[in-house]
Amino acid sequence: MELEQLRQQALAQLEQVHDEAALRSWNSQFLGKNGALTQALKRLAQLPPQDRPAYGQQVNALKEALLAALEHKKAELHQRELARSLAAEALDVTLPGRPVLRGRLHPATQVMRDILAIFAELGFQVYRSREVEDDLTNFELLNMPPHHPARDLWDTFHTTTPGVLLRTHTSPGQIHVMRQYCPRPIRVVLPGMCYRYEQITARSEIQFQQVEGLAIGESISLSDLIGTLSTFAKRFFGGERRIRIRNSYFPFTEPSIEVDVDCILCQGEVPGPSGSSGTAAAASSCTLCKGTGWLEILGAGMVHPVVLRHGGYDPERFQGFAFGMGPQRMAMLKYAIHDIRLFWSNARRFLEQF
Ligand code: FA5
């Protein structure tokens, strides 16, 4: 009688169980170490010996029945939880997938590769040089001893280690190449990042790339330099852009020149002395060329004898030309980019156009 009551009470309470926590507490109440069933089994000792086997069997049968009911309840709760989560986290497998954003090369990398490919066809190999330089190589060996006024052309980021700086141009690479290859002829381009402590404007960044070029041999002249640069400009910009060569000054080249390309934004229409036509007005307000109609893309010249000597070459026997161009400025001219700051801004609307 007592066991039958226990069975009914246990099964009735199990009916009311609707979650895992309640099931655990039901389990310990009836089947646990100090549960009702264990207590019932303890009463076995108080029974007369002849009644014990039958009582023992009944307790075991009850235990089996409660365990079976427990398993049944567990399965029921699991099913219910599954149904709930399927309803709550419904997944529509027929929806179209989200498009995967595909990366691509940064425009600066693309332009750099274009430049290096053209020079590869002209016979120039790539030489990599360091971005952290010493004062000696960035300035002195390039014919700029301490206090030389030309150093002011390159406002410099110095490190906390005296004499160690971020290179202001790729030209110190010339010294590294010459010292490695002397006395053999050289035809290399040196791409890389440069740093200048300058005011940032639409056409000048504190961090920008340059491509240095260096050719050393025994019969190299200024016309080789001009021929190389004109061929390059035509290949890079196409036939439409005009180039202009001006004389200039660099301490490490003699003579020195600079090359400009006509401005793509205002088409190089510089205001004349008498008029202010529509294009003239556009040119005078042009952020890219500042109204001059031209944008400087590179400096160049014949390698100065002092620099040749520092590189190990005898200037009586060897001559060379060198140039240093700015790929960001060139990309601006090629793709009508009005502001150089866009290159390192990480703006997706800009980057997606390339
Ligand atoms: C030089 O840096 C010389 N080392 C170039 C050179 C090499 C001359 C070999 C002779 C022989 P310059 O400071 O003009 O020169 O810079 C060269 C080019 O780098 C510029 O024409 C321009 O295209 C680019 N450039 C210079 N400063 C910046 C800047 N702040 N932001 C972006 N591009 C720049």
Side-chain angles (χ1 to χ4, degrees):
M1 265 315 280
E2 191 187 304
L3 289 180
E4 183 49 31
Q5 262 179 5
L6 183 56
R7 171 207 293 277
Q8 283 177 12
Q9 185 194 355
L11 293 180
Q13 284 194 22
L14 193 59
E15 276 291 298
Q16 304 307 314
V17 165
H18 298 299
D19 58 41
E20 294 277 338
L23 190 63
R24 270 196 301 278
S25 117
W26 181 90
N27 188 28
S28 69
Q29 185 185 344
F30 292 100
L31 294 165
K33 236 201 249 165
N34 298 316
L37 212 64
T38 312
Q39 301 304 329
L41 206 55
K42 278 183 184 161
R43 282 196 286 280
L44 192 73
Q46 298 154 11
L47 292 178
Q50 70 276 17
D51 294 343
R52 286 181 193 169
Y55 184 78
Q57 275 171 13
Q58 283 169 4
V59 172
N60 276 337
L62 178 55
K63 186 177 179 184
E64 296 286 308
L66 293 188
L67 279 174
L70 173 73
E71 286 310 311
H72 189 262
K73 191 68 176 181
K74 263 189 196 162
E76 184 191 314
L77 287 182
H78 178 73
Q79 277 305 323
R80 205 180 300 160
E81 174 54 24
L82 191 64
R84 190 202 59 77
S85 77
L86 282 176
E89 298 151 25
L91 182 69
D92 184 350
V93 291
T94 64
L95 282 174
R98 293 194 184 98
V100 177
L101 288 179
R102 291 178 63 197
R104 64 188 95 187
L105 290 178
H106 190 281
T109 308
Q110 291 184 36
V111 168
M112 183 59 94
R113 289 190 179 183
D114 290 348
I115 294 171
L116 298 183
I118 296 171
F119 279 112
E121 287 176 12
L122 294 174
F124 287 77
Q125 286 183 305
V126 171
Y127 186 96
R128 303 256 167 214
S129 185
R130 63 185 66 165
E131 289 181 22
V132 178
E133 266 297 354
D134 50 27
D135 185 277
L136 182 73
T137 324
N138 195 80
F139 291 118
E140 278 192 54
L141 296 175
L142 293 173
N143 203 22
M144 281 178 280
H147 312 300
H148 191 293
R151 285 185 175 220
D152 292 347
L153 295 172
W154 292 277
D155 291 312
T156 310
F157 283 111
H158 295 274
T159 68
T160 46
T161 310
V164 177
L165 44 84
L166 299 185
R167 68 175 174 192
T168 53
H169 51 173
T170 41
S171 298
Q174 290 183 28
I175 300 291
H176 295 299
V177 192
M178 284 195 265
R179 290 190 167 177
Q180 184 172 340
Y181 286 101
C182 180
R184 284 169 284 166
I186 292 175
R187 215 188 297 175
V188 291
V189 275
L190 304 96
M193 204 59 93
C194 304
Y195 307 86
R196 289 189 197 173
Y197 187 49
E198 282 185 1
Q199 192 186 357
I200 301 175
T201 66
R203 43 193 256 147
S204 295
E205 259 287 6
I206 55 171
Q207 172 184 345
F208 56 94
Q209 290 173 310
Q210 277 192 347
V211 177
E212 189 85 6
L214 178 69
I216 307 271
E218 291 192 47
S219 57
I220 290 187
S221 68
L222 187 64
S223 58
D224 292 319
L225 170 61
I226 293 176
T228 304
L229 292 177
S230 310
T231 307
F232 167 78
K234 224 170 243 129
R235 295 273 282 279
F236 183 81
F237 291 108
E240 319 84 65
R241 300 254 70 77
R242 288 179 295 154
I243 68 163
R244 176 174 87 166
I245 295 172
R246 291 178 286 116
N247 62 345
S248 182
Y249 169 75
F250 295 102
F252 34 91
T253 47
E254 181 59 39
S256 303
I257 58 170
E258 277 180 322
V259 175
D260 302 335
V261 175
D262 63 335
C263 179
I264 191 171
L265 289 191
C266 64
Q267 304 305 325
E269 293 290 338
V270 189
S274 59
S276 60
S277 67
T279 43
S284 61
S285 62
C286 180
T287 50
L288 188 53
C289 70
K290 285 191 189 156
T292 61
W294 298 92
L295 190 69
E296 173 209 318
I297 57 156
L298 64 89
M302 298 304 290
V303 181
H304 197 287
V306 167
V307 178
L308 278 173
R309 208 171 288 120
H310 285 153
Y313 288 85
D314 175 6
E316 297 293 328
R317 200 177 135 204
F318 290 93
Q319 315 83 44
F321 68 69
F323 56 82
M325 55 180 63
Q328 272 75 69
R329 292 257 181 96
M330 290 157 58
M332 291 169 85
L333 286 167
K334 192 168 176 177
Y335 300 112
I337 299 166
H338 64 278
D339 196 322
I340 199 169
R341 288 166 286 202
L342 287 166
F343 278 97
W344 316 131
S345 66
N346 270 344
R348 261 181 47 194
R349 275 171 61 198
F350 169 68
L351 297 174
E352 279 167 357
Q353 296 174 49
F354 295 90

